[in-house]
Amino acid sequence: MTSAGQAPEVFAQRPKRADARRNYDALITAARKAFAENGAAASLEDVARRAGVGIGTLYRNFPTRRHLFEAVYVEEVRALCHSAEGLSELPPWDALVAWLHRFVAYVATKRALAEQLLHDSEIFTSCRAEIFSAGEPLMRRAQSAGVVRDDIGFDDVVRLISGLTMAQFPSPEQRDRVLGVALDGLRPPAPPR
Amino acid sequence: MTSAGQAPEVFAQRPKRADARRNYDALITAARKAFAENGAAASLEDVARRAGVGIGTLYRNFPTRRHLFEAVYVEEVRALCHSAEGLSELPPWDALVAWLHRFVAYVATKRALAEQLLHDSEIFTSCRAEIFSAGEPLMRRAQSAGVVRDDIGFDDVVRLISGLTMAQFPSPEQRDRVLGVALDGLRPPAPPR
DNA sequence: AAGCTAGCGGAGGGTTGCCTCCGGATGCAA
DNA sequence: TTGCATCCGGAGGCAACCCTCCGCTAGCTT
């Protein structure tokens, strides 16, 4: 029950003919990999090659490098937000922490994507909105329950987490340990101190 | 009194003739700007242009893009580590926090650099060592004083901070607020919980 | 001040990636 | 089955960048 579903149609929509749709999906998948491997500057011709389609097909579906970027990015965000559903059955703190963990895991490999999109993109802002509508309720619930300090907003948490997301961790264990430390910072200060 | 000064000479050394040295420095400065603005893929010809030297000169000083990268990077790290000197006059916690703030501030703009260097570079490892020898003592002192939890290492802190470093903050205020939250996570857990 | 040599600049050849364009193939509706 | 609208692929022109090479310039030394 995120706000997804009626998101902005600003970006390239999935084509209707069966073969075209196949190609579209193959392109997105290939692009995700290529960007993850080679960074934001991955060759579009390489993407087409991986997807097993002609370069022309790529350009028809995504007139611009950015279009392709955005399509990949949007899909990631969708998945993340979707995963917030059902989390409200957990206790407030656990729900928040669980989702934030997913946040990190989902976005961890998308460095290149994020870097490219961070600047001036309306898609980015609308995705941001989606993320907020998925995570902010969890945050507020935790604050009302007194298990998260009151002097910070959800946007602070997003920055904190997405910062970690960008860092390179040698092992998932260390990543979780560090995330744990960061999360401890969210706890309300102990009464005496 | 960091371990700087006799650092690895693996990389291009500053030339001896006056004009050459001028060009070398101009190149580093230009490169720093170019990388900050255009990311890791900035055009080397552009760098030379900014520095007001011929492309040949650039290639003579830095045979490889990576050489240039490393020269810029090393200089940044030097400055940061150097700034740890004298901090031990402050109380343990304050000293650590002060340095970490500098860490964030110094490295904040070097996204592109870091991304490129993060992989397989011996320069990177040696810089890492330098950072550790500058920061780890501060950390240990704070731990002995009981103002930082004992179950984490300095490397965890580095990850935490350099994560923040990567994130894009709209204002320095928010950046500091978030950093504050993260730092609170370093405090030892309050006795009861 | 005169010569030696380190250093300079930028033309240019090669490579790579971008993007357009259109003849041919193919899903889909009737 | 047939027709057509949609979609495909990749050749090819264009632009950007990489990097080498070599004739000239100008610090430095004596």
Side-chain angles (χ1 to χ4, degrees):
Chain A
M1 212 169 287
T2 75
S3 78
Q6 36 72 272
E9 305 305 333
V10 196
F11 48 91
Q13 62 275 48
R14 218 148 154 269
K16 37 260 121 220
R17 237 172 69 174
D19 55 344
R21 221 160 30 224
R22 241 190 334 269
N23 286 335
Y24 179 95
D25 293 342
L27 279 169
I28 297 251
T29 305
R32 182 171 17 248
K33 279 185 202 143
F35 288 143
E37 282 175 30
N38 307 328
S43 157
L44 296 188
E45 264 158 357
D46 179 49
V47 171
R49 214 173 306 124
R50 287 178 194 236
V53 308
I55 184 67
T57 301
L58 186 153
Y59 277 98
R60 199 170 329 101
N61 280 287
F62 309 100
T64 278
R65 174 183 290 271
R66 157 144 287 171
H67 285 236
L68 183 51
F69 260 135
E70 295 186 343
V72 173
Y73 178 71
V74 165
E75 194 151 311
E76 296 300 323
V77 172
R78 282 282 164 71
L80 171 61
C81 290
H82 190 74
S83 88
E85 297 179 17
L87 239 41
S88 37
E89 294 173 6
L90 297 178
W93 174 261
D94 297 345
L96 179 60
V97 168
W99 190 73
L100 291 179
H101 267 94
R102 286 186 202 170
F103 194 167
V104 172
Y106 266 108
V107 194
T109 55
K110 316 307 179 306
R111 225 170 320 250
L113 275 180
E115 182 183 344
Q116 194 63 208
L117 281 168
L118 240 36
H119 317 288
D120 50 71
S121 166
E122 62 178 298
I123 290 291
F124 175 68
T125 28
S126 91
C127 280
R128 195 180 159 73
E130 240 181 298
I131 289 180
F132 268 66
S133 75
E136 200 164 25
L138 295 175
M139 169 90 168
R140 256 207 265 284
R141 205 163 67 104
Q143 284 176 320
S144 320
V147 291
V148 164
R149 58 204 282 179
D150 272 331
D151 59 342
I152 54 176
F154 183 64
D155 57 326
D156 293 321
V157 177
V158 168
R159 302 277 171 188
L160 180 59
I161 300 305
S162 58
L164 288 189
T165 274
M166 301 269 132
Q168 202 105 325
F169 288 101
S171 69
E173 290 75 41
Q174 185 175 14
R175 197 192 60 198
D176 287 346
R177 185 149 34 104
V178 172
L179 179 54
V181 171
L183 292 179
D184 277 352
L186 299 184
R187 294 266 186 190
R193 193 270 251 245
Chain B
M1 213 166 288
T2 75
S3 78
Q6 37 69 276
E9 306 303 335
V10 196
F11 48 91
Q13 64 276 48
R14 218 147 155 270
K16 38 257 127 225
R17 233 172 71 177
D19 55 344
R21 227 169 13 237
R22 241 191 333 269
N23 285 334
Y24 180 94
D25 293 342
L27 279 169
I28 297 250
T29 306
R32 182 171 15 249
K33 279 186 202 142
F35 288 143
E37 283 175 29
N38 307 328
S43 156
L44 296 189
E45 266 158 356
D46 179 49
V47 171
R49 214 174 306 125
R50 287 177 195 236
V53 308
I55 183 68
T57 300
L58 185 152
Y59 276 99
R60 199 170 330 98
N61 280 287
F62 309 99
T64 276
R65 174 183 290 272
R66 156 146 286 170
H67 285 232
L68 183 52
F69 260 134
E70 295 186 345
V72 173
Y73 180 69
V74 165
E75 193 150 312
E76 297 299 324
V77 172
R78 282 282 164 72
L80 171 62
C81 291
H82 190 75
S83 88
E85 295 177 18
L87 239 40
S88 39
E89 295 172 5
L90 297 178
W93 173 261
D94 297 344
L96 179 60
V97 168
W99 189 71
L100 292 179
H101 267 94
R102 285 185 202 172
F103 194 169
V104 172
Y106 266 108
V107 194
T109 55
K110 315 309 177 308
R111 222 169 321 247
L113 275 182
E115 181 182 346
Q116 193 62 205
L117 280 169
L118 239 35
H119 316 288
D120 50 72
S121 165
E122 63 178 298
I123 289 292
F124 175 68
T125 27
S126 92
C127 280
R128 194 180 161 73
E130 238 180 297
I131 289 180
F132 268 67
S133 75
E136 200 164 24
L138 295 174
M139 169 91 168
R140 258 207 265 280
R141 205 164 67 103
Q143 284 176 320
S144 319
V147 291
V148 164
R149 57 203 283 179
D150 272 330
D151 59 343
I152 55 176
F154 183 65
D155 57 326
D156 293 322
V157 177
V158 168
R159 302 278 172 185
L160 180 58
I161 300 305
S162 58
L164 288 189
T165 272
M166 299 271 132
Q168 200 106 328
F169 288 101
S171 70
E173 291 76 39
Q174 184 175 15
R175 196 192 61 196
D176 287 345
R177 185 149 34 103
V178 173
L179 179 55
V181 171
L183 292 178
D184 277 351
L186 299 185
R187 294 268 185 188
R193 193 271 250 232

